Amino acid sequence: MSFFSDLFGRRRESSASSVARPEFLPYIEAPQGERAIELQRVEIRARVTGVHAETSQTLHFHNPNRRALEGELVFPLPDGAVVTGYALDVDGRLVDGVVVPRREARRILEAEARKGVDPGLVEQVQGNIYRTRVYPIPARGGRTVRVTYVSELNVQGDDAGYHLPLADANAAAPIELRVEVVQAPVEPVLSEGLGNLALTRFEERWVAEATLPRGLAGDDLQIRLPRLPPRFTAVERRAGDGAFFCVSARMHDEPGERAAFSPRRVAIAWDASGSRADTRKELELLRELLRRWRALTIDLVVARDACAPAERFVVKDGRCDALLERLASASPDGGTDLEALDLGRAPHPDVEAWLLFTDGLGTVRRGAPALGRARVFCINSQAASHGGLLEHVARATGGCYLNLLRVTPELAAARLCSHQPALRVVETRACSEVHTRVADGRLIILGRLHEPRARVTLESARGDVEELEIEADDRCPEGGLLARAWAGLEVTALALDEQRNADELLALGRRYGLVTPGTSLLVLETLEQFLEYDIEPPTTWPEMHSRWRARTGELATRERGRREKQIETVLGMWRARVQWWDTDFRPKCGRSTVAPARRRRVTPPVATRADASVTGWSDARVSTRGAAPGLELRSSGALYRCSSRPPHDRRSLRC
């Protein structure tokens, strides 16, 4: 499905269908009876570094109706992609969102909505589905939205490619396009069918710019890096955060080393929930596997919100029409509960592997299925999916994850039959927090670099050890693409246990500007909003940021003055009370013949917390050390102590 397919003019039946009907994504909703919201212009900026890319899409919408409308844009992203930026137009300029904890962002949104103001908000629905609400889109007016995300290139053998659907979008609106390829190990190749768009070398990068009038683009944007070298490294420095590296290396296979996987018995877990309407590619993959395996026994488990009893099918001469008919007749319906699927208990002891056909999106519960010792191969053909979860399930069991939107069923079958488990990192030097994955015979390593020379030691499933040297120099460019790609992998790993890792997810989201399961990007419009919710404006809005800093400094000074004045008030009241207790109020006798009365020792008053609370001072406590009680006040790290000596000593007050 193209990214912009059915984006305009398509209406949904209810607001709940935005997640339940992912085949309609992305789209802009228009209320029933209203004309569809129109796309007037698209601006696309794509930057490729190594085997990763950062894409920024700016969409200009127009409302042709006579009243203001609300728009909700829900869109799937490539597997492993993470949203790193969101901006909404405010008074004619694009304002970047700031990272806010998800619950707090939702609370602020609801509070502002009750005031008649609607901030912009983008949040992760599940997996690779993100949602943003745009309101208001004024009558016969427009709004502008910009979304930025980081994704990994599609790797097939020694070729890597970047793909962005343009044909459907260009049929609706003109496109302003800029492409930049940095640190490319080979000369990139641009697809045809995009007018006069061509790559030109400029210093250490390749750049292409063009404006495509409506209807000119006859093909999607595709950038190929053909015939990659056996190994290459990309390094970027991020201000204040060190350097990040990405290594792409060809796996070394000796003749006969990658023996074909030809099982005698496998189990299939088939997700038949309502989110999987089109499974034709998956059935085609299954036919290809049956042709390769020829003869075997298959145990089928159909899963929705609960799992049906296992069914047994026998494959002879590469055919099993009964199995294919059973899967084709499993109508998509109901919710998904992957936690109800126990892959650790196979239907038969002889099962050698599981084939899990699912999009990974849980609608009942969002956890992962129970795993066992058998390998799990995860297969997905839906645009809306939870690729991070499926990648984790496959990697944890020694299997692989196959996305049929990125590879053909024939190639996916070949990968499955020749798959080798990914290498494991056993030691690192001068680098840390390293992530590895294997894509069609190429190893991809992403991590943090602490010194110009580093080493990563890897171990295969057979125990073979290999060392990779990583070198960087002062010429490595400044940038944040690799840093955000690395942070995205960290988020994917931590999000598998969202509750336990909530604090780490929040810290990563704030540091790298990511939308995570625990964070959202929120756009506020006024200085009063930033002050009320104690949120720092984005640095890309310098005027608002400088006003916010000046106002917060003024408020901090005013608060310090108020606190100091309160301290002086409490101290004055304490001095007055001690002086009152030190005063001798007995009447003086005029006759000298009257013997003076013996003075009675009076105990000074004991300060209590209630005495301090009269003035609203909450940081007061009573000191009972020594012979004289007293009062202690604390404010901003400063300590004020008042104590009293016996009343016959006129020097009764010490502060």
Side-chain angles (χ1 to χ4, degrees):
M1 170 184 164
S2 174
F3 181 85
F4 284 95
S5 293
D6 302 321
L7 177 59
F8 313 103
R10 186 182 292 272
R11 297 178 173 88
R12 58 180 180 176
E13 298 176 359
S14 66
S15 59
S17 63
S18 62
V19 179
R21 300 290 298 277
E23 66 272 18
F24 289 163
L25 305 180
Y27 63 88
I28 288 288
E29 178 190 59
Q32 293 291 340
E34 300 290 346
R35 295 173 59 187
I37 297 173
E38 302 171 353
L39 181 66
Q40 285 191 325
R41 192 171 80 256
V42 180
E43 300 171 16
I44 296 176
R45 303 289 184 268
R47 184 174 185 266
V48 177
T49 299
V51 292
H52 291 85
E54 184 173 62
T55 306
S56 177
Q57 299 179 346
T58 305
L59 309 176
H60 300 263
F61 297 108
H62 175 71
N63 177 15
N65 298 281
R66 295 183 178 180
R67 67 185 183 94
L69 298 179
E70 171 190 337
E72 188 175 88
L73 176 65
V74 184
F75 51 94
L77 296 179
D79 280 332
V82 58
V83 172
T84 60
Y86 169 65
L88 186 67
D89 63 317
V90 175
D91 295 331
R93 66 167 297 161
L94 283 173
V95 176
D96 288 308
V98 291
V99 176
V100 178
R102 181 166 182 165
R103 291 185 179 180
E104 182 180 348
R106 179 57 58 177
R107 179 185 64 82
I108 294 173
L109 180 69
E110 294 173 355
E112 290 299 307
R114 287 192 292 269
K115 301 177 184 177
V117 181
D118 196 8
L121 176 69
V122 61
E123 55 189 358
Q124 186 178 15
V125 178
Q126 191 180 178
N128 66 338
I129 305 176
Y130 294 80
R131 174 177 58 215
T132 177
R133 182 169 178 258
V134 183
Y135 177 83
I137 306 178
R140 291 190 169 86
R143 296 299 299 269
T144 301
V145 177
R146 182 177 65 207
V147 178
T148 305
Y149 61 91
V150 172
S151 60
E152 188 176 296
L153 301 187
N154 186 24
V155 178
Q156 296 184 11
D158 285 339
D159 291 351
Y162 169 82
H163 174 249
L164 181 67
L166 288 183
D168 292 336
N170 191 232
I175 297 177
E176 296 180 13
L177 181 64
R178 175 182 170 86
V179 177
E180 187 176 344
V181 183
V182 184
Q183 301 188 64
V186 296
E187 181 177 348
V189 178
L190 198 62
S191 59
E192 299 179 355
L194 295 175
N196 59 353
L197 185 67
L199 287 167
T200 303
R201 179 146 195 175
F202 177 73
E203 295 180 349
E204 298 296 326
R205 63 193 65 201
W206 299 81
V207 180
E209 287 185 287
T211 298
L212 308 178
R214 186 192 306 267
L216 178 63
D219 197 0
D220 295 337
L221 171 63
Q222 299 183 49
I223 304 173
R224 291 180 59 243
L225 301 178
R227 298 179 297 279
L228 294 174
R231 177 184 162 194
F232 68 92
T233 303
V235 180
E236 275 188 346
R237 290 176 295 158
R238 186 172 185 262
D241 204 22
F244 295 81
F245 70 91
C246 177
V247 177
S248 177
R250 182 189 302 154
M251 301 284 288
H252 299 290
D253 293 333
E254 298 179 358
E257 183 179 345
R258 297 178 69 174
F261 175 57
S262 183
R264 306 304 301 171
R265 188 163 191 153
V266 298
I268 293 179
W270 185 269
D271 181 0
S273 62
S275 62
R276 286 171 35 84
D278 187 359
T279 59
R280 289 173 295 179
K281 290 185 177 181
E282 297 175 5
L283 293 176
E284 189 177 344
L285 168 63
L286 195 53
R287 293 189 187 95
E288 182 66 26
L289 289 174
L290 298 183
R291 284 194 291 268
R292 290 170 178 263
W293 291 338
R294 303 295 297 171
L296 75 156
T297 302
I298 295 178
D299 298 289
L300 173 65
V301 176
V302 177
R304 292 186 178 91
D305 56 340
C307 297
E311 306 172 49
R312 178 174 171 270
F313 298 88
V314 178
V315 180
K316 294 182 179 180
D317 298 327
R319 295 181 60 88
C320 188
D321 295 338
L323 172 64
L324 298 176
E325 291 174 1
R326 173 69 179 90
L327 295 177
S329 63
S331 58
D333 185 29
T336 306
D337 186 3
L338 292 179
E339 290 191 37
L341 182 61
D342 189 354
L343 302 182
R345 300 178 58 185
H348 192 274
D350 295 337
V351 167
E352 301 177 45
W354 280 91
L355 303 182
L356 176 58
F357 293 86
T358 180
D359 54 18
L361 299 176
T363 55
V364 180
R365 289 182 292 180
R366 298 190 176 186
L371 305 179
R373 301 184 64 179
R375 287 197 286 178
V376 180
F377 296 91
C378 300
I379 299 101
N380 168 53
S381 64
Q382 310 299 313
S385 63
H386 197 337
L389 175 64
L390 301 180
E391 183 82 34
H392 164 75
V393 170
R395 186 180 302 174
T397 59
C400 67
Y401 168 50
L402 301 170
N403 184 352
L404 299 183
L405 295 178
R406 307 184 74 173
V407 296
T408 63
E410 294 79 10
L411 181 57
R415 289 186 180 182
L416 191 152
C417 293
S418 60
H419 171 71
Q420 295 293 327
L423 301 179
R424 184 172 63 94
V425 178
V426 295
E427 185 181 0
T428 60
R429 185 183 67 82
C431 59
S432 63
E433 299 162 304
V434 176
H435 295 269
T436 65
R437 64 182 301 267
V438 176
D440 196 27
R442 289 194 73 92
L443 174 68
I444 298 175
I445 307 175
L446 195 63
R448 303 185 66 133
L449 189 64
H450 303 298
E451 297 179 10
R453 295 179 62 89
R455 180 189 300 123
V456 177
T457 304
L458 305 168
E459 183 181 23
S460 68
R462 298 183 305 274
D464 299 333
V465 176
E466 183 175 355
E467 293 185 350
L468 289 179
E469 298 287 340
I470 303 168
E471 297 183 5
D473 53 35
D474 295 336
R475 294 179 299 173
C476 61
E478 292 275 353
L481 195 159
L482 294 183
R484 288 187 285 271
W486 169 85
L489 294 178
E490 287 280 304
V491 166
T492 300
L494 294 173
L496 297 174
D497 193 347
E498 181 180 342
Q499 293 183 347
R500 179 178 299 178
N501 302 320
D503 293 339
E504 295 180 69
L505 286 170
L506 177 59
L508 275 173
R510 284 177 166 171
R511 186 168 188 175
Y512 297 97
L514 307 181
V515 177
T516 72
T519 61
S520 301
L521 284 174
L522 181 69
V523 176
L524 299 178
E525 302 181 4
T526 65
L527 177 62
E528 289 70 21
Q529 290 175 326
F530 288 109
L531 293 173
E532 179 180 356
Y533 301 111
D534 194 22
I535 295 177
E536 183 176 355
T539 56
T540 53
W541 195 358
E543 299 86 356
M544 178 62 72
H545 196 270
S546 60
R547 290 174 57 197
W548 178 83
R549 288 177 61 89
R551 187 65 182 276
T552 52
E554 176 185 338
L555 293 176
T557 302
R558 186 182 304 173
E559 177 65 14
R560 284 194 300 270
R562 187 190 67 81
R563 301 276 289 183
E564 292 175 0
K565 183 178 180 181
Q566 190 173 18
I567 290 174
E568 292 299 328
T569 300
V570 174
L571 289 176
M573 295 175 65
W574 178 256
R575 294 188 187 102
R577 188 165 188 177
V578 171
Q579 182 180 5
W580 183 84
W581 279 101
D582 282 348
T583 303
D584 185 0
F585 293 100
R586 290 176 302 170
K588 296 181 179 180
C589 183
R591 297 181 180 181
S592 59
T593 57
V594 179
R598 183 178 180 182
R599 298 183 61 182
R600 181 168 57 89
R601 182 184 181 92
V602 181
T603 303
V606 178
T608 64
R609 185 169 296 276
D611 297 328
S613 63
V614 172
T615 64
W617 190 260
S618 59
D619 296 330
R621 72 181 183 89
V622 176
S623 173
T624 58
R625 294 175 297 178
L631 179 68
E632 290 186 357
L633 303 174
R634 292 182 181 273
S635 176
S636 303
L639 175 64
Y640 300 84
R641 179 179 293 115
C642 298
S643 62
S644 177
R645 292 191 177 94
H648 62 271
D649 187 348
R650 294 304 178 183
R651 297 170 300 169
S652 58
L653 182 63
R654 296 203 312 270
C655 289

